[in-house]
């Protein structure tokens, strides 16, 4: 008797041929799967991401080339509180001698780090407080907003597979919450920005994927990061009393942030109450 059409004998066992396997429901991965640990970007997406990175890196390198050399040793990015304490005086001298070029280099570095999700922007914010005092909050808010906006558009271009790879379940929950908000979306985004409910990195990457309009994202970022930026800049003023980044957000500080954030969603809560009444 002839073998069944959809089966072939291979190494002593029966397996489905390619046509049957492709039609099998189990051969398709569900949306949001982690891709079995494989790299999430296609070749084209990786090329685009690398091209953007090279353009930003080249621009940053050109800015650094125009900056005068420091006479007191090598300047480096602060990666810890101890680095900040060691660099504070030298950087203060450099900033006072070359204020325009220092601010240009500082802003470019901050935006670059925020765009490409490089850890360490918290130390840059502390540095603004240590060098410029309370006025440093304007620098921090400007740079954080510009970097978050740049990350938003980069994610719009190639971010979907990365977010699906890293946070599939969190993305589904975020999308469901966004769908509920309607005309109160700005209030909800303000709440997320003010409070540490979701990491800013996730918000920056996921927002374009769940179709949050850029103007909502931008306004929520500009206003929402002000409280945390103020706390960080004030901590930079008292850098000598700071031992760890964890000291920035104690229970009292977190409580204050959540209280401020609750004010932003108060209109939504009141509207729901009127509907139920």
């Amino acid at each position: 008797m002839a073998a069944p059409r959809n089966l072939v004998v291979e190494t002593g066992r029966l397996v489905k041929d390619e046509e049957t396997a492709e039609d099998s429901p189990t051969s398709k991965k569900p949306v949001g799967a982690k891709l079995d640990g494989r790299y999430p970007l296609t070749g084209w997406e990786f090329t685009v991401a690398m091209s953007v990175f090279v353009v930003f890196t080249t621009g940053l390198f050109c800015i650094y080339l125009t900056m005068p050399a420091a006479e007191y040793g090598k300047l480096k990015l602060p990666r810890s509180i101890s680095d900040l304490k060691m660099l504070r005086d030298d950087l203060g001298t450099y900033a006072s001698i070359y204020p325009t070029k220092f601010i240009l280099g500082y802003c470019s570095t901050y935006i670059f780090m925020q765009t490409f999700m490089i850890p360490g922007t918290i130390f840059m914010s502390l540095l603004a407080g240590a060098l410029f005092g309370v006025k440093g909050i304007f620098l921090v808010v400007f740079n954080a907003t510009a970097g978050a906006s740049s990350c938003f558009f980069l994610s719009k271009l190639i971010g979907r597979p990365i977010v699906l790879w890293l946070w599939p379940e969190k993305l589904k929950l975020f999308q469901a919450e966004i769908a509920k908000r309607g005309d109160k979306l700005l209030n909800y985004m303000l709440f997320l920005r003010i409070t540490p409910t979701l990491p800013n990195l996730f918000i920056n990457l996921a927002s374009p994927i769940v179709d949050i309009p850029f103007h909502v994202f931008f306004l929520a970022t500009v206003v929402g990061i002000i409280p945390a930026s103020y706390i960080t800049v004030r901590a930079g003023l008292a850098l000598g009393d700071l031992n760890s980044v964890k000291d920035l957000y104690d229970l009292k500080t977190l409580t204050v942030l959540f209280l401020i954030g609750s004010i932003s969603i108060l209109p939504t809560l009141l509207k729901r109450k009127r509907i139920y009444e």
Side-chain angles (χ1 to χ4, degrees):
M1 179 183 288
R5 179 180 178 183
N6 290 334
L7 297 176
V8 294
V9 179
E10 182 179 307
T11 63
R13 62 188 180 88
L14 297 177
V15 295
K16 290 188 176 181
D17 62 12
E18 288 184 0
E19 182 180 357
T20 307
E22 288 176 359
D23 293 337
S24 171
T26 59
S27 66
K28 298 179 181 180
K29 290 188 176 295
V31 176
K34 285 195 174 183
L35 307 179
D36 293 333
R38 291 180 296 171
Y39 192 70
L41 296 180
T42 64
W44 181 85
E45 290 168 336
F46 179 77
T47 301
V48 171
M50 287 304 300
S51 299
V52 174
F53 181 80
V54 168
V55 169
F56 269 75
T57 303
T58 303
L60 187 63
F61 182 70
C62 291
I63 289 173
Y64 280 161
L65 285 179
T66 66
M67 296 181 68
E71 299 177 357
Y72 32 76
K74 182 180 179 181
L75 298 178
K76 64 175 183 177
L77 284 176
R79 309 301 297 180
S80 66
I81 298 298
S82 59
D83 283 347
L84 278 177
K85 291 177 180 178
M86 292 174 61
L87 290 172
R88 176 178 50 188
D89 295 336
D90 288 343
L91 288 173
T93 303
Y94 191 89
S96 63
I97 298 175
Y98 311 107
T100 303
K101 291 188 177 295
F102 177 81
I103 291 177
L104 179 62
Y106 173 87
C107 293
S108 302
T109 303
Y110 198 121
I111 294 171
F112 179 85
M113 294 173 69
Q114 189 91 335
T115 299
F116 295 102
M117 302 152 282
I118 300 173
T121 53
I122 185 68
F123 299 113
M124 298 293 287
S125 299
L126 287 167
L127 182 61
L131 296 180
F132 302 107
V134 178
K135 292 183 295 184
I137 190 173
F138 296 104
L139 269 180
V140 172
V141 171
F142 170 78
N143 290 319
T145 302
S149 299
S150 184
C151 186
F152 177 97
F153 287 111
L154 183 63
S155 180
K156 196 177 186 69
L157 190 64
I158 51 96
R160 180 179 294 273
I162 296 176
V163 178
L164 286 174
W165 184 49
L166 294 174
W167 305 290
E169 297 304 322
K170 185 179 290 187
L171 181 63
K172 289 179 182 178
L173 293 174
F174 186 46
Q175 189 166 27
E177 289 298 319
I178 294 300
K180 297 176 186 176
R181 306 301 165 179
D183 58 345
K184 299 299 180 184
L185 181 58
L186 178 58
N187 301 82
Y188 179 63
M189 290 297 293
L190 277 172
F191 174 79
L192 293 181
R193 280 301 194 191
I194 294 171
T195 65
T197 306
L198 286 175
N200 281 326
L201 171 61
F202 175 79
I203 296 173
N204 294 343
L205 288 173
S207 291
I209 296 172
V210 298
D211 297 324
I212 293 175
F214 176 69
H215 71 277
V216 172
F217 175 88
F218 180 82
L219 288 174
T221 302
V222 170
V223 178
I225 64 176
I226 290 176
S229 298
Y230 178 77
I231 291 170
T232 307
V233 168
R234 285 296 299 269
L237 278 168
L239 197 59
D241 300 329
L242 198 64
N243 297 316
S244 170
V245 174
K246 295 179 181 178
D247 297 339
L248 285 172
Y249 297 103
D250 54 14
L251 181 59
K252 180 181 177 181
T253 301
L254 292 176
T255 302
V256 171
L257 289 177
F258 271 102
L259 286 174
I260 297 173
S262 298
I263 295 174
S264 67
I265 61 171
L266 189 59
T268 304
L269 298 176
L270 292 176
K271 181 179 179 180
R272 288 184 179 179
K273 182 179 179 182
R274 286 196 298 269
I275 291 174
Y276 288 131
E277 289 177 350

